[in-house]
Amino acid sequence: MTTGRPQPSDSGRREAPWWEGAVGYQIYVRSFADSTGDGMGDLRGIAERLDYLYWLGIDAVWLTPFYPSPGHDHGYDVADYCDVAPRHGSLADFDRLVERAHGLGLKVVVDLVPNHTSIEHEWFAEARRGRRNPFRDRYLWADPAPDGGPPNNWVSHFGGPAWTLDEATGQYWCHLFLPEQPDLNWRNEQVRESFDEVLRWWIERGVDGFRVDVAHGLMKDARLRDNPQIAPVGAGMDPFDAFDCFEHRHDMDQPANTDLFRRWHRICGPHEVMLLGEVNVPWPDRMSQYVAAGVLDRAFFLPTAWLGWAPEDLLQMVRTMHDAAPQGISWVQSNHDRSRVAGRYGGGEAGVRRALAVTALFMALGGTPFLYQGEELGLCDGVLLGDPHDPVAARNRGARNGRDGCRTPMPWAAGDQNGFSSRRPWIEAAPRPLAHTVQGQRADLAAPVHCYRSLLAARRRHPDLWQAPLKWLDAPGPATAALQRGSVAVVANLGRRRAEFELPPGRWTEAFASTTGSEVRGHRADVGPECALVLVGSGH
Ligand code: NOJ
């Protein structure tokens, strides 16, 4: 099926890759749509719901891992990189999904998990057989410290040391996440070649991009040196806090990471396949190295997906990051690893209003912004029923940051399972009211989903929003920002009081307003609190 909807790159330069101007949407596969009634999201369920994303105005979907996996980290522990887990469907379902997406003009980005495999991957099973096994060196092994303990002081993101002893061979394996996620040794040429093959295999199947999990973590210090400790780790501490007690000088963000992505770029580039890294590095200058020419095409900048409502900090962070890598960032406010943005910004109407205002600004920052499923409905985290599923919460008594709340089923309609499944979902949550569902919101023109849809439509109508050079304009205070890109301008007032912006001379008119109540006269905009406007100028 072809739709005739203009694609972002149609309105821009013809030679631009598809991700210039595109807006992505993250699908958390387990919780998006279940077509078989087993309570688990699947690929057929996604294919059946693509019409909705097309209607919303999305250009690309990123699918979280759907590969065979024992599921200790809900799919981020991959046992086979080139297959589909039966719980999510089959390769034939994947092919149909891609065909359907492409028919609608939507691109498909899959998740690549190269930092670690599952403990059940056949490479690790081999590697464990003995120190001389030809697969041994595909992983990071080290002898015990003199006291028999772990070889160094590295800690796992998910609690405890980053090392587990393999009794049979007397060495520890490294895991920056769960023990069931052994880290690969990226100095090993077989690992590099195997992943070249994985990339080619999915490119052949028609994918349009790879989201690279833990892209900042692949290379480790060759001498496995201790990380400098900056604070004491308390007993029962939240694992993310314990992780922050160290300066990750030797286990993360090693300069050689970018060599790996240059290699992948040579494979993906000729096919116009995007490399989008999860680069968990808070420093804009370091981030910019990952999205330099010939490295990754885009990187998620995660601090904006963690922040509570702190407009001044947010705007400063966004501006610095933008200026360090003007086209390289995939701007996000939510994903499957942290609380949803509407809740972080205070919940209720305020949370929805603030999130939309920031999204309007993000749409003008270049790069490739992403929404997380349900963000367009203004959802807060789901209310969990039953025990935690996320290993961060389930395995650590002191954990504050369990990730289950942002992973509850996508609410399609009213009812017990909110239209996600005909049976009890894999993760149980209190049903959402009709007003928080796709069905309820599509029927209500004032609902958040229509605001997001209008914003995406405005971006499509005014390609200057992402392709004309960006100029920051003077803004009236620290909780405000203003920018111009060719014929369009965006003014964001994230403060509590109205703010008066002065734009370059000319007549400006509203193309999108995140809330009502602002007024634009000539080149002056009187903008309501916590509101962003997209403006179109005559003669610019
Ligand atoms: C980042 C992913 O987003 C997260 O869900 C996962 O647990 C870790 N990487 C480990 O793969």
Side-chain angles (χ1 to χ4, degrees), residues 5 43 127 147 151 164 176 245 272 289 343 361 367 375 408 423 475 482:
R5 183 173 70 158
L43 300 181
D147 67 355
T164 292
L176 290 187
C245 291
E272 210 185 299
Q289 304 299 308
L361 176 65
E375 194 173 337
T408 58
R423 286 236 213 103

Side-chain angles (χ1 to χ4, degrees), residues 54 56 61 102 105 113 126 157 188 192 201 214 242 252 264 274 325-326 365 401 453 476 493 515:
Y54 173 78
L56 185 61
V61 292
H102 287 173
V113 187
E126 282 295 325
H157 289 75
N188 178 291
R192 295 175 181 221
W201 196 87
V214 197
M252 311 251 266
W264 293 0
M274 172 171 72
L365 292 180
N401 288 317
R453 183 169 184 251
N493 172 19
T515 52

Side-chain angles (χ1 to χ4, degrees), residues 18 24 62 109-112 209-213 215 273-279 291 295-301 328-331 368 370:
W18 68 259
W62 149 33
V109 175
V110 296
D111 216 316
L112 186 76
F210 296 96
R211 177 265 187 188
V212 183
D213 190 56
V273 165
M274 172 171 72
L275 285 169
L276 160 63
E278 182 211 28
V279 181
V291 289
V295 188
L296 295 170
D297 300 297
R298 294 285 188 265
F300 285 120
F301 177 61
I329 300 303
S330 269
W331 298 98
T368 307
F370 270 71

Side-chain angles (χ1 to χ4, degrees), residues 73 76 116 158 177 181 211 213-214 278 336-337 403 407:
D73 189 19
Y76 281 95
H116 42 265
F158 292 168
F177 295 88
Q181 293 170 296
R211 177 265 187 188
D213 190 56
V214 197
E278 182 211 28
H336 64 293
D337 287 332
R403 301 172 295 175
R407 297 174 172 187

Side-chain angles (χ1 to χ4, degrees), residues 504-521:
R507 214 175 77 78
W508 294 87
T509 50
E510 252 181 47
F512 173 81
S514 67
T515 52
T516 53
S518 299
E519 215 187 316
V520 185
R521 276 166 278 107

Side-chain angles (χ1 to χ4, degrees), residues 149-396:
N152 68 20
N153 71 352
W154 296 358
V155 290
S156 151
H157 289 75
F158 292 168
W163 297 94
T164 292
L165 181 65
D166 182 46
E167 306 270 353
T169 60
Q171 282 189 309
Y172 282 82
W173 75 81
C174 177
H175 52 86
L176 290 187
F177 295 88
L178 298 175
E180 293 87 346
Q181 293 170 296
D183 279 23
L184 285 163
N185 171 15
W186 275 95
R187 290 175 205 281
N188 178 291
E189 187 53 27
Q190 291 170 320
V191 168
R192 295 175 181 221
E193 283 170 14
S194 296
F195 271 84
D196 291 350
E197 287 313 309
V198 172
L199 293 173
R200 292 197 184 100
W201 196 87
W202 286 105
I203 292 172
E204 186 90 346
R205 275 210 118 81
V207 307
D208 304 290
F210 296 96
R211 177 265 187 188
V212 183
D213 190 56
V214 197
H216 52 286
L218 304 192
M219 296 294 287
K220 317 285 194 293
D221 178 48
R223 287 155 55 203
L224 303 177
R225 281 171 287 182
D226 275 354
N227 280 323
Q229 186 158 0
I230 47 190
V233 178
M237 209 180 212
D238 175 89
F240 295 159
D241 291 344
F243 200 77
D244 288 344
C245 291
F246 295 86
E247 184 204 316
H248 291 276
R249 189 182 298 171
H250 298 304
D251 57 346
M252 311 251 266
D253 190 25
Q254 304 297 294
N257 283 335
T258 48
D259 298 341
L260 300 173
F261 305 133
R262 284 185 196 282
R263 173 176 178 136
W264 293 0
H265 203 274
R266 288 193 286 276
I267 296 173
C268 295
H271 300 277
E272 210 185 299
V273 165
M274 172 171 72
L275 285 169
L276 160 63
E278 182 211 28
V279 181
N280 187 354
V281 170
W283 309 285
D285 56 330
R286 284 296 309 149
M287 278 291 286
S288 66
Q289 304 299 308
Y290 286 82
V291 289
V295 188
L296 295 170
D297 300 297
R298 294 285 188 265
F300 285 120
F301 177 61
L302 297 175
T304 53
W306 305 336
L307 210 59
W309 185 239
E312 295 182 21
D313 295 348
L314 175 78
L315 291 176
Q316 207 193 353
M317 184 185 267
V318 160
R319 190 167 166 159
T320 321
M321 185 62 257
H322 169 273
D323 292 353
Q327 286 303 330
I329 300 303
S330 269
W331 298 98
V332 275
Q333 291 190 87
S334 271
N335 63 25
H336 64 293
D337 287 332
R338 293 287 172 124
S339 270
R340 287 177 173 276
V341 61
R344 297 199 325 269
Y345 285 178
E349 280 180 20
V352 178
R353 178 175 67 240
R354 294 165 174 173
L356 180 61
V358 175
T359 306
L361 176 65
F362 279 10
M363 290 295 154
L365 292 180
T368 307
F370 270 71
L371 298 177
Y372 176 49
Q373 67 184 44
E375 194 173 337
E376 75 282 13
L377 305 174
L379 296 183
C380 291
D381 285 357
V383 176
L384 221 66
L385 308 173
D387 292 335
H389 293 259
D390 176 24
V392 174
R395 298 193 190 185
N396 295 283

